[in-house]
Amino acid sequence: MMALQELLGDFMVRAALAGLGVALAAAPLGCFVVWRRMAYFGEATAHAAVLGVALALALDLPLAPGVLAVSLVMALSIAALSRRGHAMDTLLGVFAHSTLAFGLVAVSFLPGVRLDLMAYLFGDILAVSRGDLVVIWGGALMVCTLILWRWSALLTATLNPDLAHASDIDPRREQLVLTLALALVVAVAIKVVGALLIAAMLILPAAAARPFSRTPEGMALVAALFGSIAALGGLVVSWHLDTPTGPTIVCLAAVLFAGSALGARGRAASPR
C-alpha cells in the first residue's frame, strides 16, 4: 500500500494513468461515433461541458456530476428535437456554440471563483489528483461495462436499423445508451484533454484503427491501443518539448491517423 501511495504521489504517474483511463473509455465509444458519423454530436456534447463546469461551481458540487448532467440534458434535447423534424446539423451547430458561449459567460458571473478556463478548454492532465483518478477510472469502467453489455444490440442498430427492428431491438434505445456513454466520457475526459479536444480523442484513434481491423471488436481493441499510445506518447513529448499536454496528445493521435491513412493507401496501391 505504501509503495502504491508513493507511486501515485508522482504527478507524471497520475497523468499517465489518467491518460490511459480516458483512452480506454473513448476507444469503443469512438468506434460507434465513427460508424454512425456522430463526430459533430460528440463535439456538441463536449462543448456543453463548459456550461456543466459553471453549474457545478455555482452549486458547489463536484465537477463530474455537473458536467455529466448538462452534457446528458443537451444530448437528449438534440435527440428529442431531431425527432420533431428539426435538421440534425442545424441543432448540433446551435447547441454546440450556444452552450459553450453560455458556459463561458456564466463562469464570468460567479463571485469569488478563480478559474483557469484554459485548463477546462484544453485540459490540464498534469494537475490530475488521486481523487480525479478515481473519477476517471470509475467513469471508464462504467463506459466499458455499458458498451460491452449492449455491444451486440448497439452493433446491430448501427449497421442495419431494419434488422434491429426485426430482432426486437429498439434503435432509439441504443441511441440513448450511446448518448449516456458519451456524456460519461465527456465528464471524465475534461480534466485530461479539455472540452475542445474531447471529440478529437474519440474520433482520431478509432479512425486510425479502421484500416488495421477486420472486425468491429478488433477495431475497438486497436483504437484502445492507438489511444493509449497517443496519451502516453503525448505526455512524454510534452514533457521534453514543454508544450501543452492536452493538445500534444491530440497532435500525436492525428499523426497516428495520418500514418494509418498513408499505410492503407500504400497497401491498396501495391501490386498483389
Side-chain angles (χ1 to χ4, degrees):
M1 183 65 69
M2 290 297 296
L4 180 61
Q5 290 178 348
E6 292 178 1
L7 185 64
L8 292 179
D10 188 340
F11 73 96
M12 286 294 286
V13 174
R14 292 198 301 270
L17 291 174
L20 284 175
V22 170
L24 294 177
L29 184 59
C31 293
F32 284 102
V33 169
V34 170
W35 294 331
R36 286 173 170 255
R37 300 181 181 179
M38 292 173 57
Y40 204 14
F41 190 91
E43 185 176 355
T45 306
H47 284 184
V50 177
L51 184 57
V53 171
L55 177 65
L57 292 174
L59 300 178
D60 197 23
L61 295 173
L63 187 64
V67 172
L68 177 62
V70 172
S71 299
L72 194 56
V73 167
M74 193 279 306
L76 293 176
S77 298
I78 290 177
L81 289 173
S82 66
R83 289 197 292 268
R84 296 184 179 181
H86 296 276
M88 177 63 79
D89 58 343
T90 301
L91 288 174
L92 290 173
V94 168
F95 274 86
H97 301 300
S98 60
T99 53
L100 178 60
F102 275 111
L104 294 175
V105 171
V107 167
S108 68
F109 282 103
L110 295 176
V113 174
R114 298 182 61 185
L115 181 66
D116 182 9
L117 279 177
M118 294 294 288
Y120 291 105
L121 293 177
F122 298 102
D124 191 11
I125 189 173
L126 298 180
V128 168
S129 65
R130 297 181 186 182
D132 292 328
L133 279 180
V134 173
V135 172
I136 290 170
W137 276 92
L141 289 175
M142 289 176 64
V143 170
C144 291
T145 301
L146 187 61
I147 295 296
L148 285 173
W149 174 46
R150 303 300 304 170
W151 178 266
S152 179
L154 284 169
L155 197 58
T156 303
T158 297
L159 298 177
N160 193 327
D162 293 332
L163 179 60
H165 281 296
S167 304
D168 199 23
I169 297 172
D170 185 357
R172 290 184 179 180
R173 181 185 61 203
E174 305 312 318
Q175 176 69 35
L176 290 177
V177 171
L178 283 179
T179 299
L180 176 59
L182 188 60
L184 279 169
V185 168
V186 169
V188 302
I190 189 170
K191 186 76 172 182
V192 177
V193 292
L196 299 184
L197 303 178
I198 291 172
M201 282 303 292
L202 283 168
I203 298 165
L204 287 172
R210 174 175 273 178
F212 297 97
S213 310
R214 295 185 178 181
T215 64
E217 294 80 5
M219 182 171 166
L221 291 175
V222 176
L225 175 62
F226 282 163
S228 300
I229 292 173
L232 297 179
L235 188 62
V236 173
V237 171
S238 171
W239 175 262
H240 286 289
L241 299 183
D242 194 24
T243 54
T245 308
T248 304
I249 291 173
V250 175
C251 285
L252 186 53
V255 170
L256 290 173
F257 169 72
S260 171
L262 291 174
R265 179 174 296 183
R267 289 195 302 274
S270 62
R272 296 185 180 276

